[in-house]
Amino acid sequence: MVDTMALLHTFTRASRVRGKTGTASPIAPVLPADDEVLLDAPDEELGPALVGAAAGDPVPAAELLAATRHSGAWEHRDRKVRKLAAFARSRPGWLDTWRALDPHNPDGLLVDAQRAVHRAWDSPARAEALREVSPLITAAARADHRDPVPWRLALDHARGARAGHRYFQELWEAAVRRAPHHYGCHVAALRYLASSWHGAHRECFDFADQAAQDAPEGSLTQALPLWAAFGYLTDGCGPEVPRARLEAAADRAASLSARLPAAHPRSAELRNLLVYVLQRLERWPDALEQLRLTGPYATSSPWDRDTGDPLGRFLEVRRSVYAAVAAGPAADPSGAFAPGFGRPRSERGGRVRFGDH
């Protein structure tokens, strides 16, 4: 994942899209200008930790992650670990210093394990490289038995290493014992299901819908069906999923998005993914509403799926969505997008199911 790690800043200017008559569209909200949009921006807690890390000081990051661990804020912890590990790939000194000074610290171990998985994932010999980092993940999991984040990392690792279903089931059970509704673990499980049985989209939706139904109100896991929809729309394989199921996944995610703070980095990943799905479904006004809620915060995923310039792709989609809403319901803004979803080309193979939530 591309991570610019730009520091937070406010946005004051606005861009206006004009309709065919040359007047501002009365239905389109004002969005931040292109040059105000940030890619993978940290939140107000993570920013100081990254500033310290950039200066070679691991203390702010260590204090931040210790606080998430002591309070059991596992979702926040997971996001911060991924961001810090991504930063450490290009600026490793602060993490290497931390690990040397406190080699058994659970937080340092976890960031180091996440960094190692990032590196191995990019290797041409991915499966072999991932097997070599297993001891780091094990050490992170043993350092604090309450923490589900090392188990999310283990689930990702198992997918990349092409682990068998029985082994994955054991990891999954260990993960949900620690946090039954942990969003990151559920996304990792869904991705394993999708990659292990290519084209098993109905099974993915069944798993995601059950997890969302069981999740507490406000939990990010309620948006898990959106990941199933994204997997289907970007795959083109397996039996066709009814459009109504894709619509329901988007509606559920939009309902969750409406309850989250507007224009905040913590909500940006969900909203960027929702924009992707909504524009594929050609639900232009709904996509524009999510862009309004997203504000200036773009995320690499999902826009880096087929481009080396995720920020440019986000801005391109934003302009197209805005133009479609301004021009009217029958408009096709640029012809840049394929139809929302087409009939898949082949049948799926076997099945794998996970335990109850």
Side-chain angles (χ1 to χ4, degrees):
M1 175 179 290
V2 177
D3 249 291
T4 61
M5 295 301 177
L7 296 180
L8 297 176
H9 79 181
T10 58
F11 55 98
T12 55
R13 299 201 316 273
S15 60
R16 298 172 68 85
V17 173
R18 299 191 175 273
K20 292 180 179 179
T21 63
T23 59
S25 169
I27 57 174
V30 173
L31 300 178
D34 285 1
D35 61 1
E36 293 169 337
V37 176
L38 305 175
L39 182 67
D40 298 324
D43 60 32
E44 64 277 5
E45 295 178 344
L46 188 60
L50 292 171
V51 171
D57 181 8
V59 172
E63 291 178 346
L64 175 62
L65 291 183
T68 64
R69 178 164 48 87
H70 294 322
S71 65
W74 305 126
E75 301 292 5
H76 294 330
R77 178 176 176 80
D78 199 350
R79 182 177 184 272
K80 290 170 173 56
V81 163
R82 287 187 283 116
K83 293 283 189 178
L84 287 166
F87 187 78
R89 290 194 64 185
S90 58
R91 303 288 290 274
W94 64 278
L95 180 56
D96 295 340
T97 297
W98 184 7
R99 296 284 289 117
L101 292 174
D102 194 357
H104 303 295
N105 180 275
D107 310 310
L109 276 167
L110 184 54
V111 176
D112 199 8
Q114 180 71 77
R115 176 179 62 168
V117 169
H118 280 167
R119 286 174 172 170
W121 204 271
D122 293 338
S123 170
R126 176 187 296 173
E128 181 180 350
L130 283 169
R131 281 191 288 270
E132 293 176 358
V133 306
S134 293
L136 262 178
I137 301 174
T138 300
R142 289 176 175 171
D144 189 325
H145 292 285
R146 303 171 305 138
D147 188 357
V149 181
W151 296 93
R152 187 274 302 160
L153 187 55
L155 294 171
D156 285 338
H157 176 275
R159 172 168 58 96
R162 300 177 182 174
H165 300 151
R166 180 175 298 178
Y167 175 67
F168 192 90
Q169 181 77 32
E170 293 173 357
L171 296 177
W172 169 249
E173 291 172 355
V176 296
R177 277 200 303 271
R178 287 158 174 81
H181 307 292
H182 186 263
Y183 177 63
C185 289
H186 280 77
V187 172
L190 186 65
R191 285 174 164 172
Y192 176 87
L193 179 59
S195 65
S196 180
W197 293 107
H198 189 49
H201 297 293
R202 290 178 181 173
E203 285 80 357
C204 288
F205 269 98
D206 289 345
F207 170 71
D209 286 343
Q210 185 64 55
Q213 179 179 327
D214 293 345
E217 184 177 357
S219 168
L220 284 174
T221 302
Q222 289 192 349
L224 196 66
L226 187 69
W227 280 99
F230 173 73
Y232 175 72
L233 292 169
T234 56
D235 189 5
C237 171
E240 186 170 3
V241 173
R243 182 182 176 99
R245 202 160 193 183
L246 302 175
E247 300 274 8
D251 289 343
R252 186 191 288 268
S255 177
L256 176 60
S257 172
R259 299 196 297 272
L260 299 175
H264 197 285
R266 290 181 188 169
S267 310
E269 183 179 89
L270 168 65
R271 288 175 174 144
N272 275 247
L273 185 65
L274 182 51
V275 169
Y276 183 97
V277 171
L278 288 169
Q279 58 89 15
R280 287 292 303 271
L281 296 175
E282 299 180 356
R283 289 174 54 173
W284 308 115
D286 293 335
L288 186 58
E289 170 61 10
Q290 293 307 313
L291 287 167
R292 182 189 69 80
L293 291 171
T294 297
Y297 299 116
T299 57
S300 291
S301 177
W303 314 112
D304 60 357
R305 180 181 175 274
D306 52 8
T307 178
D309 180 16
L311 178 57
R313 181 60 174 157
F314 171 83
L315 295 174
E316 175 189 347
V317 168
R318 195 174 71 151
R319 286 190 292 269
S320 296
V321 170
Y322 210 148
V325 173
D332 180 357
S334 65
F337 304 116
F341 51 96
R343 183 175 298 277
R345 296 186 296 272
S346 62
E347 294 298 321
R348 58 173 170 80
R351 302 183 181 189
V352 58
R353 295 187 181 277
F354 299 106
D356 292 337
H357 296 271

